[in-house]
Amino acid sequence: MELGIMVICFFALMIMGVPIAYNLIVSSSVYMLVMGYDITIVGTKLYEGMNSFSFLAVPFFVITGQLMLRGGLLQLLIDFVNAFFGRYKGAIAIVTIGASLLMGSIVGLAVASAASLGVFLIPMMKKEGYSPAFASATMSSAALLGPIMPPSVLMIMYSISVGGTSIAGLFLAAVVPAILIAAAEMVIAHRTAVKRNYPSFGKSTWAHKRDVTIKALPALILPVIILGGIFSGIFTITEASAVAVLYSFIIAFFVKKTIKLKDIPELFMEATTTTGLVLILAGAGSVMAWAIANERVLSILIEPMSQMPVWLFLLLVNIVLLICGCFMDDYASIVILAPIIAPIAWQLGVDPLHIGIIICVNLVIGLATPPFGITLFVTSPTAGVTIEETVKEAIPYIAACIIILLLLTFFPPLVTTLPRLMGY
């Protein structure tokens, strides 16, 4: 009964529009009061959920992304991708997806990618004759690569929420899925462009490719520093994020000279806002996770689900998470659902890295699905279209992402081979 009251309270507050973090805290507090527990447990669990050294990486990655964007390196990434893919029909759409993949290896946030790249690329697509709705759909779908391509704030949250899963291992496991999703989206963009006769930029010479590659090297080196340092064991995740800030600051402040000292407080404020959101959600999720554990929900679920075939369990996980992604953001879903789903998957013998990627990719797809897909709300106003128009054009992209998700689900080597080769 007490658990039912908490669930009812949670959904009631969600319908009322209460922010999800406060919703979790209030719902869990109601549970504590009904059970007669000391309400100070809420504060204790809230602190425990926030008290993780790995969370220090979040503000560093956010600052790195802002420094790279303000450092003028975004256009260099766009020029680099365009030099190699500009000869295909739908070149700007393909460039948007390729640039989002590269941005994901620096920023790790979908909204940041959608906002920063969308301001440049959506007007470019419209200028080249692309329909505004298609431009918006391409950008909103391409932005999903941000939280999938490592480093990923979402995967850091997942690892901390469930425990026992290596963040570096998750990063490695996400590389192939990110590339597959990017490739699938590029195919959709190209086929649509051919059908609608959208233009290309023509073939670039090798000399031009060489020149833009050299110019883009400062931006291209950063993912190598971050991921190479982590996977080689030189840095921890947090240390790598701090080194990334130092490198991007040197590029933006001393080399490009596009950042001034007066800009630094604004960078810190951006990092503080994002980190605060992550921390409060992590803490609030820990409170509810304690209440769920106290009710022995996992024990109740594991027994019947352990009798399921693994394929059926994974299929049900995909369905449930895709539905949840339509109504809740990825961070909130991670802290609520991952601690429930992951232990059951482990009990069934599913590889921890495999189930981690399945959960994260599912929830990332939800960022571009109605009614509450956040990237839709970012790109639609930029393109000057309604969310409904964007959704209509985004359906092929979302379908392609779901097909890749099913491949990842039922063919685990796509996820686990690279981490195993690196010893994870």
Side-chain angles (χ1 to χ4, degrees):
M1 185 185 71
E2 292 83 0
L3 183 63
I5 292 173
M6 182 177 72
V7 172
I8 292 171
C9 182
F10 173 80
F11 282 109
L13 292 174
M14 187 168 67
I15 293 171
M16 292 167 59
V18 175
I20 194 71
Y22 303 121
N23 184 341
L24 292 171
I25 294 172
V26 172
S27 301
S28 302
S29 298
V30 169
Y31 169 81
M32 302 292 180
L33 292 172
V34 172
M35 289 292 291
Y37 292 138
D38 188 343
I39 197 66
T40 58
I41 294 176
V42 174
T44 302
K45 297 302 175 183
L46 191 66
Y47 172 76
E48 289 177 359
M50 298 178 180
N51 187 29
S52 173
F53 182 73
S54 296
F55 277 139
L56 282 176
V58 176
F60 285 132
F61 281 134
V62 174
I63 292 174
T64 298
Q66 289 296 314
L67 286 170
M68 296 299 282
L69 293 175
R70 293 168 182 249
L73 296 177
L74 177 56
Q75 186 61 51
L76 297 180
L77 290 177
I78 294 172
D79 293 341
F80 170 76
V81 178
N82 188 40
F84 289 90
F85 294 97
R87 64 192 179 96
Y88 298 103
K89 283 282 188 180
I92 287 292
I94 295 172
V95 167
T96 298
I97 297 163
S100 296
L101 182 67
L102 293 176
M103 278 292 294
S105 65
I106 297 172
V107 179
L109 298 166
V111 175
S113 295
S116 57
L117 286 169
V119 171
F120 288 92
L121 291 169
I122 290 177
M124 288 175 66
M125 283 188 271
K126 291 170 65 176
K127 185 178 179 181
E128 292 293 327
Y130 291 61
S131 74
F134 178 74
S136 175
T138 300
M139 187 67 256
S140 67
S141 302
L144 302 183
L145 296 167
I148 299 175
M149 187 66 183
S152 167
V153 173
L154 181 66
M155 290 178 190
I156 293 174
M157 284 195 71
Y158 172 85
S159 179
I160 294 171
S161 296
V162 304
T165 302
S166 164
I167 298 177
L170 276 174
F171 282 2
L172 266 175
V175 172
V176 172
I179 294 172
L180 289 176
I181 290 173
E185 290 185 346
M186 287 180 178
V187 170
I188 296 295
H190 175 64
R191 289 178 62 87
T192 304
V194 170
K195 182 178 179 181
R196 301 180 184 179
N197 198 30
Y198 290 149
S200 65
F201 285 126
K203 190 175 181 179
S204 298
T205 64
W206 282 108
H208 177 65
K209 291 178 180 177
R210 180 198 62 211
D211 292 341
V212 296
T213 301
I214 292 173
K215 290 180 181 178
L217 274 178
L220 297 174
I221 288 174
L222 182 55
V224 176
I225 294 175
I226 297 174
L227 302 179
I230 293 171
F231 300 148
S232 65
I234 298 174
F235 306 134
T236 64
I237 303 292
T238 306
E239 291 165 349
S241 65
V243 171
V245 170
L246 178 61
Y247 173 85
S248 54
F249 179 78
I250 292 172
I251 296 297
F253 194 82
F254 294 105
V255 179
K256 296 294 183 178
K257 298 182 179 178
T258 53
I259 295 288
K260 308 297 180 185
L261 287 175
K262 64 180 181 180
D263 297 323
I264 293 179
E266 186 178 348
L267 296 177
F268 285 170
M269 183 60 68
E270 177 74 21
T272 301
T273 302
T274 302
T275 307
L277 170 65
V278 171
L279 286 177
I280 191 68
L281 278 170
S286 295
V287 180
M288 180 165 279
W290 183 89
I292 291 171
N294 190 60
E295 290 293 321
R296 300 180 59 81
V297 171
L298 281 180
S299 300
I300 296 171
L301 291 176
I302 283 176
E303 184 174 351
M305 287 190 169
S306 64
Q307 309 302 318
M308 282 185 180
V310 175
W311 68 267
L312 179 59
F313 169 77
L314 293 177
L315 182 61
L316 289 175
V317 166
N318 282 331
I319 293 171
V320 169
L321 291 181
L322 286 172
I323 293 172
C324 287
C326 294
F327 299 96
M328 288 197 300
D329 67 68
D330 50 343
Y331 294 158
S333 299
I334 278 287
V335 299
I336 297 171
L337 299 175
I340 298 174
I341 295 172
I344 298 173
W346 300 341
Q347 184 79 12
L348 290 172
V350 180
D351 187 283
L353 297 179
H354 187 209
I355 190 62
I357 294 300
I358 290 173
I359 291 173
C360 290
V361 172
N362 264 292
L363 296 178
V364 167
I365 291 174
L367 296 176
T369 55
F372 299 119
I374 187 63
T375 62
L376 302 174
F377 289 93
V378 174
T379 61
S380 295
T382 304
V385 295
T386 64
I387 292 174
E388 291 79 8
E389 290 172 314
T390 298
V391 169
K392 184 178 178 181
E393 292 280 14
I395 289 174
Y397 288 120
I398 300 303
C401 290
I402 292 174
I403 290 172
I404 297 299
L405 172 62
L406 292 175
L407 284 176
L408 300 175
T409 300
F410 298 113
F411 191 63
L414 289 174
V415 174
T416 58
T417 297
L418 191 56
R420 293 295 174 262
L421 289 175
M422 298 294 290
Y424 290 94

